[in-house]
Amino acid sequence: MTTYLNIYDLDEEGLNIKTFDQDEEWYDYIFANRKGKPDSFSNYDVIIGPIANDTLYDTWGMLTSGVLDKATSLKCLKIGNVYHQIVIKSEKALSSLHFIEATVIDPSSVQEYKEAVAKEEEEFQQEFARIVGD
């Protein structure tokens, strides 16, 4: 199987962009999305912010289910490395996104990435269990 890395450029000129940090506003946005509430940032063309780590690692649905209080959930969402995502929310933003190139990632690098993710997952689970257990 061949793995590709696709590289794009986003021309931000004229776009309404919302940038999140790992804070309560970000948590509230995640929580609202997961509960199917209306998008309070629907007027933005682009949302940039951290990827909620419970989409990367197994948290058994605890972070936005109400099982944990908001402060504990937010603390858990901050565990580990911070990876960012860019969400294209409008046709205007989509037309500002330009493909640059696709490169092949060699199989040995893919294996190294998988091993790194497995290590991160283990570290995440240990810290998650510690925080939830406190």
Side-chain angles (χ1 to χ4, degrees):
M1 178 172 74
T2 304
T3 303
Y4 294 92
L5 171 65
N6 295 309
I7 301 171
Y8 293 84
D9 178 60
L10 178 64
D11 179 359
E12 297 179 0
E13 187 175 334
L15 297 178
N16 191 13
I17 300 173
K18 172 67 178 164
T19 303
F20 282 110
D21 293 314
Q22 284 182 312
D23 57 16
E24 283 192 41
E25 182 183 38
W26 170 68
Y27 176 82
D28 290 342
Y29 184 67
I30 293 167
F31 186 84
N33 283 336
R34 300 223 176 126
K35 297 296 181 187
K37 294 184 178 179
D39 184 356
S40 57
F41 295 102
S42 61
N43 59 318
Y44 286 89
D45 299 304
V46 177
I47 302 283
I48 300 172
I51 298 172
N53 60 21
D54 65 333
T55 64
L56 303 174
Y57 310 118
D58 188 9
T59 63
W60 311 285
M62 295 173 66
L63 297 182
T64 56
S65 67
V67 171
L68 301 175
D69 63 64
K70 184 176 180 177
T72 302
S73 291
L74 184 54
K75 191 173 185 179
C76 288
L77 282 169
K78 293 181 179 183
I79 296 171
N81 295 327
V82 179
Y83 299 104
H84 287 82
Q85 63 185 343
I86 298 173
V87 179
I88 305 298
K89 295 179 55 83
S90 71
E91 289 294 325
K92 182 178 180 182
L94 183 59
S95 67
S96 297
L97 186 65
H98 307 286
F99 178 76
I100 303 295
E101 67 179 339
T103 60
V104 175
I105 301 175
D106 65 271
S108 64
S109 293
V110 171
Q111 184 58 39
E112 288 175 20
Y113 297 141
K114 286 180 179 181
E115 290 168 6
V117 168
K119 182 179 181 216
E120 281 184 24
E121 170 83 23
E122 184 177 328
E123 291 169 354
F124 171 86
Q125 294 298 344
Q126 290 173 359
E127 183 65 8
F128 184 86
R130 186 191 68 73
I131 290 171
V132 171
D134 283 348

